[in-house]
């Protein structure tokens, strides 16, 4: 079966900012930022040297703990962004699968003209392409999705449902 990899959506972000004079800020895990694949991506698409990277190691942990406390997260992001003149940026790239859960919180603290992008759209397009090529694409839009959880903690399950609703609001 095919495996579809994700990478930070740096290329579309650079293209969005090519004529604006604005910079791109990539949020990612420290591991992602150290990988050769990421650095080769930056070298390949950032011919204007407008991409900066911000490691956010705690954010994956917060997401996996289902920490979506708005005040706490706003303070966290403000602290991390205090290192940058955010007015210079046109796009923030959410470079980890966990980060889109915080998109709505980020919108509350970023200037309105700063766009937020993540790699999920490109990944979904690739998935649709592969499913189509393999005759596995269900084009009716009707399907059943069953989530299973080995954790029987009702509070955890309810928090997980709430977290998924944050993503659903974005689609």
């Amino acid at each position: 079966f095919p495996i579809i990899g994700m990478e930070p959506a740096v290329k579309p972000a650079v293209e969005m900012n090519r004529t604006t004079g604005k910079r791109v800020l990539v949020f990612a895990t420290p591991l992602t930022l150290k990988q050769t694949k990421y650095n080769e991506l930056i070298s390949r698409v950032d011919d204007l040297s407008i991409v900066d990277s911000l490691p956010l190691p705690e954010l994956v942990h917060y997401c996996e703990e289902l920490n979506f406390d708005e005040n706490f997260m706003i303070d966290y992001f403000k602290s991390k962004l205090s290192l940058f003149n955010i007015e210079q940026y046109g796009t923030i790239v959410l470079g980890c699968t966990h980060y889109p859960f915080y998109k709505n919180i980020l919108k509350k603290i970023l200037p309105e003209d700063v766009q937020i992008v993540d790699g999920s759209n490109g990944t979904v397009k690739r998935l649709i392409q592969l499913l189509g090529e393999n005759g596995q694409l269900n084009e009716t839009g009707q399907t059943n999705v069953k989530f299973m959880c080995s954790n029987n903690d009702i509070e955890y399950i309810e928090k997980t449902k709430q977290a998924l609703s944050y993503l659903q609001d974005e689609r």
Side-chain angles (χ1 to χ4, degrees):
F1 59 89
I3 297 173
I4 301 169
M6 286 188 69
E7 63 181 25
V10 175
K11 183 178 179 182
V14 168
E15 290 172 2
M16 291 164 60
N17 289 277
R18 188 167 294 284
T19 59
T20 66
K22 295 280 189 168
R23 300 188 64 75
V24 173
L25 183 58
V26 178
F27 291 179
T29 65
L31 180 62
T32 295
L33 298 178
K34 289 178 188 173
Q35 289 181 336
T36 302
K37 183 178 179 181
Y38 175 76
N39 290 298
E40 288 173 352
L41 171 67
I42 297 297
S43 295
R44 194 173 62 247
V45 302
D46 187 20
D47 56 332
L48 300 174
S49 296
I50 60 171
V51 176
D52 297 314
S53 303
L54 177 61
L56 297 176
E58 306 89 355
L59 201 52
V60 170
H61 181 68
Y62 295 149
C63 188
E64 289 177 353
E65 286 185 339
L66 302 173
N67 182 351
F68 300 103
D69 179 87
E70 190 170 293
N71 292 328
F72 177 84
M73 295 313 304
I74 285 173
D75 288 344
Y76 170 77
F77 283 119
K78 283 183 176 180
S79 169
K80 294 296 184 175
L81 291 170
S82 70
L83 305 171
F84 298 87
N85 177 357
I86 202 65
E87 299 298 326
Q88 293 179 349
Y89 293 87
T91 306
I92 302 283
V93 175
L94 303 177
C96 174
T97 56
H98 292 66
Y99 295 1
F101 285 95
Y102 296 101
K103 191 172 186 177
N104 287 331
I105 292 173
L106 281 166
K107 285 181 179 180
K108 292 181 180 189
I109 63 169
L110 293 171
E112 281 187 27
D113 62 329
V114 174
Q115 298 180 62
I116 302 171
V117 297
D118 67 71
S120 63
N121 289 334
T123 304
V124 169
K125 287 178 186 176
R126 180 68 178 136
L127 174 62
I128 290 169
Q129 178 189 7
L130 285 175
L131 290 173
E133 289 171 3
N134 293 316
Q136 298 172 310
L137 184 61
N138 178 347
E139 296 187 52
T140 66
Q142 301 296 314
T143 188
N144 292 318
V145 176
K146 182 176 182 179
F147 290 97
M148 300 179 80
C149 180
S150 60
N151 183 342
N152 288 326
D153 180 352
I154 299 300
E155 184 180 341
Y156 181 85
I157 292 170
E158 289 304 314
K159 282 178 135 180
T160 301
K161 286 180 186 177
Q162 183 65 40
L164 290 172
S165 75
Y166 298 144
L167 290 178
Q168 193 172 24
D169 292 343
E170 292 301 313
R171 304 280 181 238

